[in-house]
Amino acid sequence: MYRVGKPEIDAIASVIRSGNLFRYQKTESACARFERRYAAYLDARHVLLTSSGTTALTAALVALDIGPGDEVMVPACTYMATACAVLAAGAIPVIVDVDESITMDPAALDDAVGPRTRAVIPVHMWGLPCNMNAIMRVARRRKLLVIEDACQAVGGGYHGRKLGTIGDAGAFSFNYYKNMTCGEGGAVVTRRARAAARAACMIDCCGFYWKGRQQSVHPFTSNGSRASELEGAMLNVQLDRIDAIVRGLRRHKHRVLNATAKTGLQPIPLHSPADECGAQVVYLLPTRAQADAFARQVAGTVVGKTGRHIYTEWDPIFRREGAHHPALNPYRLPQNRGCRMTYRKNMCPRSLDILHRAVMIAMHPDRKAADVDDLIAKIRAAASLAGVR
Ligand SMILES: Cc1ncc(COP(=O)(O)O)c(C=O)c1O
């Protein structure tokens, strides 16, 4: 979805020419500049750049003291990295149904909370905001921490606030498939100073050698996931592009939805259509067979068939292989004995039904008006072929 070109090449070339590829090599690094600018863009207090969305999620969980003995709720529809981050923090992921918005169902969350549940990760899949008002209400009542997985929702918002800034912490990915990219990268956001210090330690436990030993949080050891100046430089350029990209995606999406409103096709409910990323138009077909036929006609994708975005595809989780060594495997830790850790492929039948009837059609910001018209014509024709008219 991203745009990339000469300004990124120039920014990276200038870092290479300067010889300063390490963020602590000079006083105003490109990484620090991006963190400051992205924090201002999000209206957030602390932003920390890291190597990926997965390390951002892990740092966010550790930042909030999630660890062994804790259950963390994750939705049935997300990339496995969301659940992997929970295990990397030593906690246990518990899978919760999605609703027709293909994001976490707040009522299912409420039902699933148990005595060990400490946190929830709502995931804004394909730039579609979760029902954050309802999720935050459940979280407050049940005393859960909220970590937003905004990895697929860079630039998106929810009723005037940026996604990732509504819960206690948020995580973004800047990998090759995201609205803003530096090849691989991620960021943690939080308004809590102590959490930010812990996240910084998680990202770079050796950072105190460079930033000074007088840190507010005693350092603990972790794996390194520090970003380089090349990534920081590229992201500074990407940040200048993001609003125009998301505006373009949203404009195309609204046009497609308006033009197909009378076809009988049922779009999924949207929780903040004016603020979302607009990356995908998603329709819910009456049956799986109709979804398959419709997806073929419009070159779309059945959400349940991407091969990697629903819980049934999370192979190591089903095998309860939560670490590289049995002694470190959260599924075997005594502290986690009271956590729920039985996974079955058919444990979320409602999610499976919805996800196999949901068809998404990708938007692209550089699509010309005539191409959007062609797409609309194709969707209309496919609606009658799939028998929804
Ligand atoms: C919803 C979600 N969470 C987490 C991640 C992990 O991000 P990364 O690949 O940057 O580690 C992704 C990546 O695609 C994702 O889509």
Side-chain angles (χ1 to χ4, degrees):
M1 236 57 75
Y2 57 84
R3 288 179 177 140
V4 64
K6 187 166 181 309
E8 283 82 358
I9 294 169
D10 290 346
I12 289 169
S14 131
V15 172
I16 294 170
R17 275 192 211 102
S18 77
N20 296 324
L21 273 72
F22 179 48
R23 67 171 295 167
Y24 300 127
Q25 221 165 338
K26 51 185 178 146
T27 39
E28 174 57 336
S29 80
C31 290
R33 179 163 176 259
F34 173 74
E35 287 169 342
R36 210 182 48 247
R37 293 179 64 221
Y38 196 44
Y41 173 81
L42 295 170
D43 195 17
R45 203 161 290 159
H46 307 280
V47 167
L48 297 105
L49 202 46
T50 178
S51 59
S52 70
T54 310
T55 56
L57 278 167
T58 308
L61 288 156
V62 170
L64 296 170
D65 298 294
I66 305 292
D70 299 331
E71 289 176 353
V72 179
M73 305 307 218
V74 299
C77 177
T78 181
Y79 193 51
M80 188 179 70
T82 314
C84 295
V86 175
L87 289 159
I92 300 293
V94 171
I95 302 170
V96 173
D97 261 320
V98 295
D99 60 22
E100 293 194 340
S101 70
I102 66 173
T103 61
M104 186 180 275
D105 177 359
L109 167 66
D110 200 12
D111 286 346
V113 172
R116 293 299 196 100
T117 312
R118 279 277 315 284
V120 52
I121 308 186
V123 184
H124 309 297
M125 281 304 278
W126 293 290
L128 300 160
C130 297
N131 184 351
M132 286 308 291
N133 285 342
I135 287 173
M136 293 305 288
R137 268 197 301 277
V138 174
R140 273 192 213 104
R141 189 158 39 77
R142 300 301 207 115
K143 300 199 174 8
L144 306 181
L145 292 160
V146 179
I147 298 102
E148 290 175 77
D149 181 337
C151 286
Q152 296 198 3
V154 179
Y158 178 80
H159 300 299
R161 294 168 75 183
K162 282 282 187 279
L163 295 173
T165 66
I166 299 161
D168 299 279
F172 297 94
S173 167
F174 305 127
N175 76 19
Y176 74 102
Y177 194 64
K178 304 300 190 268
N179 298 334
M180 195 157 84
T181 188
C182 57
E184 299 286 356
V188 185
V189 51
T190 181
R191 49 181 178 277
R192 302 182 180 193
R194 181 176 172 279
R198 281 178 65 80
C201 191
M202 199 58 195
I203 291 167
D204 183 6
C205 67
C206 305
F208 66 86
Y209 293 125
W210 308 95
K211 294 182 279 190
R213 280 194 153 88
Q214 305 312 315
Q215 302 291 309
S216 57
V217 164
H218 286 303
F220 48 88
T221 65
S222 67
N223 263 342
S225 56
R226 190 179 52 231
S228 89
E229 284 291 274
L230 298 174
E231 291 158 323
M234 181 156 174
L235 286 170
N236 273 305
V237 182
Q238 288 275 293
L239 187 54
D240 294 333
R241 297 183 186 269
I242 186 70
D243 275 341
I245 290 175
V246 171
R247 260 198 317 271
L249 289 169
R250 241 181 350 233
R251 194 175 55 245
H252 290 169
K253 174 165 178 170
H254 291 171
R255 222 176 115 218
V256 172
L257 286 176
N258 287 336
T260 57
K262 296 204 174 87
T263 54
L265 285 166
Q266 181 195 339
I268 58 163
L270 303 174
H271 295 303
S272 192
D275 308 77
E276 65 154 81
C277 293
Q280 302 276 347
V281 172
V282 190
Y283 297 105
L284 201 57
L285 279 292
T287 66
R288 286 183 179 211
Q290 282 167 307
D292 289 343
F294 180 72
R296 265 194 309 276
Q297 294 293 325
V298 297
T301 308
V302 175
V303 176
K305 291 190 172 175
T306 67
R308 61 182 186 278
H309 292 106
I310 60 174
Y311 72 95
T312 50
E313 310 288 339
W314 301 348
D315 302 3
I317 308 271
F318 276 89
R319 288 198 307 271
R320 291 199 263 174
E321 302 278 3
H324 66 280
H325 191 288
L328 294 172
N329 185 349
Y331 290 114
R332 292 176 174 227
L333 293 182
Q335 295 93 325
N336 285 330
R337 244 174 237 142
C339 295
R340 290 164 291 175
M341 52 179 82
T342 305
Y343 307 105
R344 281 172 288 102
K345 296 270 173 166
N346 61 354
M347 66 194 287
C348 295
R350 185 165 157 244
S351 298
L352 294 181
D353 172 55
I354 292 167
L355 297 170
H356 281 93
R357 290 189 296 114
V359 176
M360 54 186 181
I361 303 166
M363 299 293 102
H364 197 289
D366 295 333
R367 215 177 238 150
K368 303 274 177 295
D371 299 330
V372 179
D373 288 341
D374 286 349
L375 177 63
I376 291 167
K378 217 191 266 178
I379 294 172
R380 284 184 178 147
S384 29
L385 280 173
V388 297
R389 269 191 207 261

